[in-house]
Amino acid sequence: MSTQRQSLRDRQVASIEKIINLNHEQPKPEPDANGLVPTSNPLLNEDGEPIWKVLVFDNLGRDVISSVLRVQDLRNFGVTIHLNLHAPRHPIPDVPVVYLTAYVNFLTSVPRPLLEDFAALTAQNNTSDKIAQVYDQYLNFVVSEPDLFSLHLKDAYYTLNSAQAADSALEHTIDKVVSGLFSVTVTMGSIPIIRCPKGNAAEIIAQKLDRKLRDHVVNSRDNNLFSSRSSSSASSQTRPVLIILDRNIDLVPMLSHSWTYQALVHDVLGMRLNRITVETVEDGGKVSKRSYDLNSNDFFWARNAGVPFPQVAEDIDAELTKYKDDVAEITSKTGASSLEDLQNDAGTSAQHLKAAITQLPELRDRKAILDMHMNIATALLKGIKERQLDNFYQMEESITRQTKVQILEAINDPEKKNATDKVRAFIIWYLSSENDPSKADMVEYETTLKNAGCDLAPLTYVKKVREITRMTMMASAPSHQPAAQTTPGDLFRGFSSISNRLTDRLKDAGALGGGFENLISGVKNFLPVNKDLTITKIVESLMDPTSSSTSALAKTENYLFFDPRSSSARGTTGNPTGAARLGPDGRPIAGGPTFGQRRQGFAEAVVFTVGGGNMEEYGNLQEWSRKVNQNGAGVKRKVVYGSTELINAESFVNGELKRLGEEG
């Protein structure tokens, strides 16, 4: 039996497939050679035919499903129609519709009063006999990547940090976070050890989640959501650790300009729910908008999402060469001049023709994926050049060595036209500087920013939290040697060859700024230096303390420790000094974790940021786990990253930071 680890996305897809199969357990297929888990078979009726269904969902249900399944996947499971619950549905004259049976699935646990209201309404309408099932599914989170999730809570950072937010809004947001994290733990199938820093929203969420998990274990012995997924006697060493962190622990990744494919797509193209809209150039130079979905079957995205952008160009070039060679091999054997001719070819080599036609769907899928990524990469290049993102990224890589003159030059640079990019870079410098700028210097910086058309409201708020962030930031300094950089002639040579092979219209399209070569020219080609972000250092100190730095261990030593399976580990630090801490029930907490428990390692971690997440941190965590696993230390470490909301830097700066700054 395969021991392939299931990702969070695999587990969520399996849960959604179970819903579509009317909550019937289906045999679980083994992962294929690429590690992808094939979809299960649809539920069949007594005659061996699929049971056809109508799927109705609310807005969150739509987002949950659309992030991991496509329309064709739903069709494969017998879903003929999918509708939004809130969309107007007009009757069709003379077409009777009879809903024979309803299977009701709630994304999260439904409060008893609401369930009683639902039961009363069905009884009042004489429809209770139509309800076949009512299930709590614990799926109120959106999975974007194999180990990346979001609770889709808008403006959580603003709500939790605003002095004007009502207590009811704070409590509502915290309860939503607790509910979402409970669903994630149920989906993963194991009760975690919970660690978090003292104070702020992270501690409140950890306390409430600990209580919710603890109550479930005590009160649901006959219907334990975890008993069928993992052993109830599992030791803490085999359980994951859930690390809950406040966003202010490090604001820099929320603002930084990144250089990896995934982070650039999120920043420049505003990817949402794995959907990207880009401008493409059609025949004749006409520019049109086209949307693409990045799904689990996209081999190129799976391999290159966390790769520096210049390497993506080389891989597209290599994949196109491989595709061209495969097509040439097939056409040479069959005598056809192209793939299109194969369908109508009646050549003498029937055996070769049969083999070629069998390979046609796979080749077409590869070609479509490569075409898509070529268009995405072209749109990214255009955005990079227009906003000079390569210069911003290179500046931020050595931000602590930037002088006052260099900072002012960057703000005043007329070629850097995007005001938000300038604000982002300045705030990063401001947060990273060891010493506070003098009052006179700060006035000069702010005047220069204002003259450059920048909104100072985000900076006004950042000034208030700078000291908090400075105390917790642990990002390692990048290497002092400059990143490897090529000459402009070598720049993105992969893209240059692609433009010749894939399509000539990119070269001639005036809409792309005078041609593809002009688009490439002037954009810098370099590889990022290796560095671990603050969140990665925290994760390392809690997952692998023997390899962590002394400074990181010192900052996480007093993190609270919750074990919902333990009667004593309820938010303790193990430090006997100081006043006794009170549990969620108001009683003093006795005992605490031992030194060994606090320094134990974990093979799996779920890292959750309260107030917003970003692709920069997700990519850095995944890179750390790959690096650790490649060193062959024995324990394979996996990290799942989640947040209240995945938000790009522009939305964060011009949204929540701006609103907080305007409050004064």
Side-chain angles (χ1 to χ4, degrees):
M1 183 176 177
S2 173
T3 58
Q4 177 78 24
R5 168 191 172 270
Q6 278 194 310
S7 67
L8 182 62
R9 180 168 63 189
D10 294 334
R11 293 175 182 273
Q12 191 185 55
V13 168
S15 297
I16 295 173
E17 288 177 354
K18 185 178 177 182
I19 293 174
I20 298 174
N21 280 327
L22 309 182
N23 291 299
H24 286 263
E25 291 284 356
Q26 294 289 93
K28 296 180 180 179
E30 294 292 328
D32 61 18
N34 296 319
L36 299 175
V37 179
T39 56
S40 305
N41 296 320
L43 186 67
L44 306 178
N45 61 18
E46 295 152 349
D47 299 325
E49 298 177 349
I51 297 176
W52 303 109
K53 291 146 284 196
V54 174
L55 177 63
V56 182
F57 41 67
D58 61 7
N59 291 335
L60 180 57
R62 174 201 60 203
D63 294 343
V64 169
I65 294 172
S66 65
S67 292
V68 292
L69 294 178
R70 297 293 169 253
V71 173
Q72 186 56 50
D73 298 322
L74 298 178
R75 296 281 187 272
N76 294 340
F77 283 94
V79 175
T80 55
I81 301 174
H82 57 279
L83 303 167
N84 192 303
L85 181 66
H86 305 293
R89 294 185 293 280
H90 303 288
I92 303 175
D94 302 324
V95 179
V97 177
V98 179
Y99 293 100
L100 299 177
T101 311
Y103 297 80
V104 182
N105 296 274
F106 293 99
L107 287 176
T108 185
S109 178
V110 181
R112 185 174 182 84
L114 186 60
L115 199 58
E116 290 175 350
D117 290 344
F118 177 63
L121 284 172
T122 57
Q124 179 182 339
N125 296 324
N126 295 320
T127 55
S128 57
D129 59 322
K130 305 294 185 184
I131 307 296
Q133 297 174 351
V134 178
Y135 272 83
D136 292 336
Q137 294 293 352
Y138 301 99
L139 290 173
N140 53 322
F141 58 95
V142 177
V143 178
S144 305
E145 291 290 322
D147 289 309
L148 172 68
F149 72 93
S150 162
L151 300 186
H152 248 34
L153 296 177
K154 288 185 67 64
D155 298 331
Y157 183 82
Y158 171 81
T159 302
L160 295 172
N161 289 278
S162 171
Q164 299 179 7
D167 290 343
S168 58
L170 286 168
E171 188 172 346
H172 175 75
T173 299
I174 288 173
D175 288 344
K176 284 281 190 181
V177 173
V178 172
S179 172
L181 287 177
F182 184 83
S183 295
V184 171
T185 61
V186 170
T187 303
M188 294 187 68
S190 182
I191 296 178
I193 305 292
I194 305 173
R195 304 296 304 271
C196 72
K198 298 179 186 178
N200 297 320
E203 180 179 356
I204 300 172
I205 290 167
Q207 285 181 344
K208 288 197 169 190
L209 179 61
D210 173 67
R211 185 196 307 174
K212 190 177 181 74
L213 288 167
R214 194 180 296 274
D215 289 347
H216 177 77
V217 171
V218 172
N219 300 323
S220 308
R221 296 189 183 278
D222 297 329
N223 189 28
N224 192 309
L225 293 167
F226 301 93
S227 59
S228 61
R229 302 165 186 254
S230 61
S231 171
S232 60
S233 61
S235 66
S236 58
Q237 284 78 9
T238 60
R239 291 156 58 190
V241 58
L242 170 59
I243 305 168
I244 304 176
L245 302 169
D246 288 293
R247 182 63 270 168
N248 284 340
I249 207 163
D250 186 10
L251 283 175
V252 169
M254 295 294 291
L255 309 167
S256 61
H257 297 86
S258 184
W259 199 235
T260 61
Y261 191 29
Q262 185 177 53
L264 277 169
V265 166
H266 197 242
D267 186 10
V268 178
L269 302 181
M271 178 174 65
R272 185 179 184 275
L273 299 175
N274 287 359
R275 169 157 285 210
I276 303 168
T277 301
V278 301
E279 289 186 349
T280 59
V281 182
E282 307 296 338
D283 293 329
K286 181 182 177 182
V287 178
S288 62
K289 288 189 175 182
R290 188 167 182 178
S291 296
Y292 296 109
D293 291 315
L294 299 171
N295 55 47
S296 59
N297 296 323
D298 188 335
F299 71 94
F300 190 86
W301 180 256
R303 193 169 65 216
N304 288 283
V307 169
F309 190 48
Q311 293 181 5
V312 175
E314 296 179 8
D315 199 39
I316 291 182
D317 188 27
E319 284 296 331
L320 282 169
T321 301
K322 181 181 176 184
Y323 169 80
K324 184 179 179 182
D325 292 343
D326 290 346
V327 170
E329 181 181 357
I330 291 174
T331 54
S332 64
K333 287 180 179 179
T334 58
S337 59
S338 67
L339 288 181
E340 287 72 19
D341 294 338
L342 283 174
Q343 291 180 320
N344 303 318
D345 198 306
T348 57
S349 179
Q351 182 179 359
H352 285 154
L353 185 60
K354 181 180 178 181
I357 291 177
T358 303
Q359 297 177 55
L360 273 177
E362 188 271 337
L363 286 171
R364 286 205 181 100
D365 288 346
R366 278 170 57 191
K367 179 64 161 53
I369 287 173
L370 293 176
D371 279 349
M372 174 181 73
H373 284 285
M374 184 61 209
N375 286 328
I376 292 173
T378 303
L380 284 180
L381 274 171
K382 187 181 180 189
I384 290 169
K385 187 167 185 178
E386 287 178 350
R387 293 168 54 185
Q388 293 205 6
L389 298 182
D390 51 339
N391 290 325
F392 277 112
Y393 175 76
Q394 202 168 30
M395 171 185 170
E396 290 166 15
E397 282 284 87
S398 57
I399 196 68
T400 57
R401 300 195 298 274
Q402 298 294 313
T403 64
K404 176 183 175 181
V405 172
Q406 290 172 314
I407 295 295
L408 291 174
E409 282 180 355
I411 298 172
N412 284 318
D413 189 350
E415 295 299 318
K416 295 181 173 66
K417 298 181 176 64
N418 189 296
T420 303
D421 287 328
K422 295 180 179 182
V423 171
R424 288 164 59 182
F426 179 78
I427 292 177
I428 291 171
W429 172 81
Y430 178 65
L431 290 173
S432 304
S433 298
E434 290 291 337
N435 302 313
D436 289 340
S438 66
K439 288 186 178 181
D441 284 347
M442 202 64 194
V443 169
E444 186 175 358
Y445 288 132
E446 292 180 358
T447 302
T448 306
L449 285 166
K450 194 171 182 179
N451 291 338
C454 301
D455 191 331
L456 298 183
L459 177 60
T460 301
Y461 175 73
V462 170
K463 287 180 183 179
K464 298 179 181 179
V465 298
R466 180 181 187 269
E467 286 309 312
I468 299 173
T469 301
R470 287 287 305 154
M471 289 173 61
T472 52
M473 282 173 57
M474 293 186 291
S476 60
S479 173
H480 281 270
Q481 62 266 27
Q485 185 168 322
T486 63
T487 61
D490 293 333
L491 191 63
F492 291 104
R493 56 186 179 278
F495 281 119
S496 298
S497 58
I498 293 167
S499 65
N500 292 322
R501 298 181 188 186
L502 187 62
T503 171
D504 288 331
R505 68 173 179 264
L506 287 172
K507 295 172 59 179
D508 303 326
L512 290 179
F516 197 77
E517 281 74 12
N518 289 339
L519 188 63
I520 297 170
S521 65
V523 180
K524 295 178 181 177
N525 180 21
F526 49 80
L527 301 180
V529 294
N530 292 323
K531 64 177 180 179
D532 290 335
L533 300 177
T534 295
I535 196 170
T536 305
K537 287 186 168 293
I538 291 172
V539 170
E540 181 182 43
S541 69
L542 295 175
M543 283 189 78
D544 188 14
T546 57
S547 303
S548 181
S549 66
T550 304
S551 61
L553 286 173
K555 291 195 176 185
T556 59
E557 179 69 15
N558 288 325
Y559 269 34
L560 302 180
F561 185 104
F562 297 84
D563 184 355
R565 291 196 182 278
S566 168
S567 60
S568 59
R570 305 178 63 187
T572 52
T573 64
N575 186 352
T577 61
R581 293 180 59 79
L582 300 179
D585 54 6
R587 292 180 297 181
I589 300 170
T594 64
F595 178 82
Q597 287 175 316
R598 286 181 285 119
R599 289 294 178 89
Q600 73 182 57
F602 294 90
E604 188 167 11
V606 179
V607 189
F608 185 82
T609 56
V610 182
N614 55 86
M615 291 297 183
E616 178 86 351
E617 286 179 331
Y618 172 66
N620 198 250
L621 285 166
Q622 298 305 309
E623 182 60 32
W624 172 81
S625 66
R626 279 192 294 269
K627 182 173 58 179
V628 170
N629 294 337
Q630 287 172 357
N631 290 339
V635 179
K636 298 295 183 183
R637 307 195 188 273
K638 300 289 183 180
V639 182
V640 176
Y641 176 77
S643 182
T644 45
E645 180 187 13
L646 285 173
I647 183 170
N648 66 15
E650 183 174 2
S651 299
F652 186 64
V653 170
N654 295 328
E656 292 169 279
L657 286 185
K658 180 179 178 180
R659 289 176 66 191
L660 288 166
E662 288 172 344
E663 288 184 0

